[in-house]
Amino acid sequence: ARTIPWGDDPMDLGGATLVSEGVTGSVEVHGPDDRRVVASQAAAPLDRALAAAGMETSATFEIDATPSPGTRSAARGHRLEVDAPGPGWGQVLLSADEAGVLRFHFGTPVESPARRGRGGDAGRLAYTIPAAPSPAPEGPRTRGLAGALGRTFVKVLVFHAGEAALGAAGQTLAGIWERNKVPDRLRRWGPEDYDRSDVPDLDAADAQAWHHLGGGRSLLLLHGTFSRADQAFGGMAADAVATLHGRYEGRVFALDHPTLSRTPAENVDRLLELLPSDVHLDLDVVAHSRGGLVARRLAGRGDPRLRVRRVVFAGAPNGGTPLASPAHINRLLDVYANLLTFFPDNGVTDAMEGLLAVVQDVVLGMVDGLRGLTAMVPDSDVEFEGGAVAEAPDWFALASDYTPTELGLKAFMAPLASQVFPGLANDLVVPADSVWRGPGTRPFPLADDAVLLFGEADGVGHSDYFRNARAVERVLTWLT
């Protein structure tokens, strides 16, 4: 590592140039073999996810910047120009600011004297790194993916992009990741295994299990984006899980399914394929986030083998979320990265792997293949199908108007609220009205007694619904 003091001119960092205005301090430059900074900057889940995604750290810059005397702030942030990685490689920057907030940065070509990059290709890419608008919290934080606070860290990540040819066949790296980590399967869900991923599949050949599931009202759980059943519902209190399991006499199961590369309609098609041809199910459904769109499709499909009686939506984008639009894809990635950072739970590494796969798709220009994400865009072609059956289900909703209390996350969300959710109460991912007002067709909006809306003081974010005692209690009441 080497430390470079700040000067008035652009700083030559060796293969990179840093330009900042109105600041003093220094930049410590670490090469790819410097494990000390990797250990101090990134918690183990992030390191494991980067390795699994095949992303190498070509350089790390540790920026220690304070406003120059007479300068109010360094609000303009930093402009970092980095040599392009060369043919067959992709590149993205990951920064962690003074408060531990993670951001992904995608480069734009620079018209400047070129240096030779990896593979011998000429070119440079420019990245803008925003300065933290407020000081970092005092004292160490023991949770999260960014382990070092008080300075800005920037990791230059490169990855082999040979898989880009798959895009021509309609495949994405996110889709490949999902086939390996979130394959379609039905699984049991009970007090002994609800927070575990290593649970055997509910096989169609298990006649005894399906006979039991068809012997009375059953409960199906549907997770959301970048998730699985053990991640989405694993934070629920053990006594609540036991209550649900007892109430349904053990007839509780979950669907693990791809959420990035497949539409909700395709998820339902696959679920029906997994059901035995002679099974008949009477279902209640609890759905988190994008899982609500799958639940709506399932309720409206009209398959004679099942009937949906009740659906509980928790933070479901029934009316869509602007965060899922291609124009906001960078912000969506940052939001999910910080949900994992500030609210880590089981399965953090797997969820971050999925996030990194989408990051690589964005770098490679394969966003169009992320049909599972674009299904959540407001006014998308995911039409509402609930009510198409003779007797529609009873619908219920958990929604939230959430304001972060963590200093770094609060500063990160301020521009997001004004640019993505202007004037809209939201839980960081989905506007509150989207959950219970839906797309404006029957049965939306839901009745007042079918909605629990959390306020700013309740502190319920998008990934918190099933960790909140009041929310779980209401779910148990609705499912009585």
Side-chain angles (χ1 to χ4, degrees), residues 228-240:
R228 293 189 310 257
D230 62 291
Q231 297 165 356
F233 307 103
M236 192 179 296
D239 59 344

Side-chain angles (χ1 to χ4, degrees), residues 1-13 17-20 23-29 61-66 68 78 151:
R2 59 193 178 98
T3 301
I4 303 173
W6 227 284
D8 295 330
D9 299 322
M11 303 175 68
D12 184 357
L13 306 178
T17 303
L18 181 66
V19 179
S20 302
V23 297
T24 61
S26 63
V27 178
E28 193 169 326
V29 183
F61 305 110
E62 185 177 350
I63 302 173
D64 184 9
T66 57
S68 300
H78 314 286
R151 293 186 177 187

Side-chain angles (χ1 to χ4, degrees), residues 70-454:
T71 303
R72 289 186 300 173
S73 69
R76 293 186 184 90
H78 314 286
R79 176 184 170 89
L80 187 64
E81 296 182 6
V82 183
D83 286 345
W89 291 82
Q91 180 173 280
V92 67
L93 267 58
L94 175 63
S95 69
D97 70 14
E98 292 91 331
V101 172
L102 295 183
R103 290 180 176 87
F104 293 101
H105 309 274
F106 300 95
T108 56
V110 178
E111 294 183 6
S112 64
R115 296 173 180 240
R116 291 285 167 180
R118 182 189 291 244
D121 188 35
R124 283 204 137 192
L125 298 172
Y127 303 86
T128 300
I129 315 297
S134 52
E138 294 183 0
R141 189 177 64 228
T142 57
R143 62 180 184 172
L145 300 182
L149 303 179
R151 293 186 177 187
T152 294
F153 285 85
V154 180
K155 294 171 74 74
V156 182
L157 303 174
V158 296
F159 59 94
H160 191 261
E163 296 90 343
L166 295 172
Q171 300 186 71
T172 62
L173 298 183
I176 295 171
W177 172 81
E178 286 188 314
R179 284 198 297 275
N180 293 327
K181 288 298 180 76
V182 196
D184 297 284
R185 69 167 191 146
L186 292 168
R187 55 155 288 175
R188 299 177 187 272
W189 191 90
E192 298 82 16
D193 54 23
Y194 72 100
D195 58 351
R196 289 169 42 197
S197 62
D198 58 340
V199 178
D201 294 1
L202 188 56
D203 194 277
D206 190 343
Q208 183 176 356
W210 287 109
H211 177 75
H212 178 63
L213 284 169
R217 186 74 63 88
S218 298
L219 178 64
L220 171 65
L221 302 173
L222 298 171
H223 63 75
T225 310
F226 298 112
S227 193
R228 293 189 310 257
D230 62 291
Q231 297 165 356
F233 307 103
M236 192 179 296
D239 59 344
V241 174
T243 298
L244 279 175
H245 204 254
R247 183 172 295 174
Y248 287 89
E249 298 179 322
R251 292 184 292 270
V252 185
F253 65 117
L255 173 70
D256 284 337
H257 58 283
T259 61
L260 305 172
S261 58
R262 290 189 188 170
T263 66
E266 291 171 321
N267 295 143
V268 171
D269 290 342
R270 185 64 183 128
L271 188 158
L272 296 176
E273 290 173 3
L274 293 172
L275 293 180
S277 59
D278 59 346
V279 70
H280 291 83
L281 298 179
D282 211 18
L283 283 180
D284 291 341
V285 180
V286 174
H288 179 240
S289 190
R290 180 190 173 283
L293 305 186
V294 180
R296 276 172 35 196
R297 287 273 182 172
L298 186 64
R301 183 56 62 90
D303 190 287
R305 290 174 296 171
L306 57 83
R307 180 175 179 182
V308 178
R309 300 283 189 169
R310 301 183 182 122
V311 177
V312 177
F313 299 113
N318 285 311
T321 172
L323 198 62
S325 68
H328 296 311
I329 187 69
N330 197 163
R331 292 184 172 94
L332 179 141
L333 295 169
D334 291 346
V335 167
Y336 273 98
N338 286 293
L339 286 175
L340 296 173
T341 296
F342 287 88
F343 311 105
D345 208 337
N346 58 326
V348 169
T349 297
D350 287 345
M352 182 57 77
E353 283 181 34
L355 195 69
L356 293 173
V358 175
V359 168
Q360 294 179 57
D361 283 331
V362 173
V363 173
L364 300 176
M366 298 197 294
V367 177
D368 290 344
L370 301 173
R371 297 175 299 147
L373 286 181
T374 55
M376 298 187 290
V377 176
D379 302 320
S380 73
D381 60 357
V382 181
E383 73 274 10
F384 176 66
E385 292 189 357
V389 291
E391 185 175 344
D394 294 325
W395 309 93
F396 306 93
L398 299 171
S400 183
D401 179 10
Y402 175 65
T403 297
T405 55
E406 289 269 9
L407 185 59
L409 190 58
K410 188 173 184 178
F412 164 73
M413 281 301 301
L416 190 74
S418 61
Q419 296 167 14
V420 180
F421 301 116
L424 298 175
N426 65 88
D427 64 4
L428 294 186
V429 176
V430 175
D433 280 6
S434 179
V435 184
W436 61 276
R437 287 190 184 276
T441 57
R442 192 168 66 92
F444 295 105
L446 303 182
D448 290 346
D449 60 355
V451 177
L452 176 56
L453 176 61
F454 290 98

